[in-house]
Amino acid sequence: MRPPSSIVVLTGAGISAESGIDTFRDTDGIWSKVDFREVATPEGFAADPHKVHAFYNQRRAGLKGIKPNAAHFALARLEREFGGAFLLVTQNIDHLHEQAGSERLIHMHGELANSLCGNCGDRRLWDGDLSTDLPCRACGSRGRLRPDVVWFGEMPYQMERIYAALAGCDLFVAVGTSGTVYPAAGFIEEARAAGARTLELNLEPTEGTSRFSDAIHGKATEIVPAWVEKVLAG
Ligand code: BJW
């Protein structure tokens, strides 16, 4: 088989699981403990901003001391050493890919470390807790700050850039994602339409496994470094 010349990698919560971050839809996942309609929709935020801030403040605090794992480092190595085009698209709002050294990276569902002002759109690093009485540091309005994350019903970030990369790729790889949330769940069809080979790397088969041309199942910290090694060996 010819080596790839343009790779798009999509990652999901499963790649960060072995770093200690909860996934969403596994048995003990985040959505088994909290109703996503209450904390991950604009309507939920409007109804109870205190609850939503508390949910994300807790998750932001939970990221302290969390370290990237071998799968994050392997993807950063792939970006550095692979000679062709490369784009890493993550659905994750943690910063473990950056911490591992990834640079050609899109956070399509936003970044937990950032605040977003609902009044002026200002987006900036926000280290501590967010609350309803804080003023925006750009426009000064109070009560409009929210975490810079993409909720259900909102448009994910940088979709044009992602679709352009998918249209030009010859290998699409999905790592640690259940493939249940659109538009990310539809990336495989975009890549297939472009004639790309498609590979699922996941702990276990997902509902969409049969849509991929290949699949490798196991822990991300084991199967991602092994796959990267193989790609770089040609
Ligand atoms: C391991 C492992 C290990 C474990 N090693 N693997 C009906 C039909 C179609 C679409 C819709 C519909 N009704 C509504 C929609 C749209 C909606 C949607 O898709 N809903 C579905 C649930 C049906 N989507 C949206 O609203 C999106 N916006 C949108 O569509 O805008 C319009 C648009 C149109 C056209 C083009 C573009 C846009 C926005 C979605 C926003 C999602 N937001 C969240 C929360 C973000 C903030 C936060 O973190 O709180 O994003 S929801 C949550 O799910 C989070 C994740 O990024 C996302 C995906 O989850 P992920 O990463 O796949 O995690 P899991 O837990 O599901 O899976 C983990 C996997 O890892 C599992 O398979 C495990 O086996 C595996 N694993 N350990 C390897 N060690």
Side-chain angles (χ1 to χ4, degrees):
M1 213 175 291
R2 260 192 302 139
S5 62
S6 174
I7 304 177
V8 176
V9 178
L10 170 72
T11 62
I15 196 168
S16 296
E18 290 165 79
S19 290
I21 299 181
D22 287 340
T23 61
F24 293 92
R25 296 170 186 82
D26 290 310
T27 317
D28 277 343
I30 295 174
W31 297 156
S32 72
K33 297 169 193 144
V34 25
D35 185 336
F36 76 87
R37 285 164 294 224
E38 292 179 5
V39 295
T41 63
E43 295 78 16
F45 185 57
D48 193 345
H50 300 284
K51 180 175 194 158
V52 175
H53 280 311
F55 173 68
Y56 285 99
N57 287 342
Q58 192 185 23
R59 287 176 63 198
R60 194 180 301 105
L63 287 183
K64 297 238 157 69
I66 297 273
K67 300 261 186 317
N69 64 46
H72 298 102
F73 283 113
L75 292 180
R77 177 184 171 213
L78 180 63
E79 177 185 327
R80 273 195 315 274
E81 297 182 21
F82 174 63
F86 180 85
L87 181 66
L88 175 57
V89 181
T90 188
Q91 298 169 86
N92 299 341
I93 61 176
D94 63 57
H95 272 177
L96 296 181
H97 283 305
E98 293 84 335
Q99 287 175 29
S102 289
E103 290 178 357
R104 280 175 268 170
L105 168 68
I106 291 176
H107 276 276
M108 65 175 291
H109 289 166
E111 299 173 53
L112 187 50
N114 288 352
S115 63
L116 170 66
C117 176
N119 185 50
C120 70
D122 180 67
R123 186 176 281 134
R124 64 178 65 209
L125 257 180
W126 197 280
D127 221 9
D129 285 355
L130 282 170
S131 68
T132 51
D133 51 5
L134 289 167
C136 168
R137 289 179 190 154
C139 72
S141 67
R142 282 182 189 273
R144 301 299 309 277
L145 290 181
R146 56 169 278 186
D148 183 20
V149 301
V150 177
W151 289 323
F152 287 104
E154 296 183 323
M155 184 63 83
Y157 292 137
Q158 301 201 47
M159 292 308 299
E160 275 184 29
R161 215 179 127 202
I162 297 171
Y163 283 129
L166 289 167
C169 77
D170 54 11
L171 177 61
F172 170 73
V173 186
V175 182
T177 176
S178 59
T180 46
V181 176
Y182 286 84
F187 290 173
I188 181 180
E189 316 302 348
E190 299 287 327
R192 280 172 52 162
R197 280 188 290 138
T198 55
L199 170 66
E200 175 178 85
L201 298 177
N202 202 66
L203 185 62
E204 55 197 11
T206 63
E207 281 180 20
T209 298
S210 61
R211 297 192 287 163
F212 288 83
S213 33
D214 296 291
I216 303 169
H217 296 125
K219 290 180 177 177
T221 53
E222 293 169 7
I223 59 176
V224 178
W227 169 72
V228 166
E229 194 69 53
K230 207 168 135 196
V231 174
L232 294 177

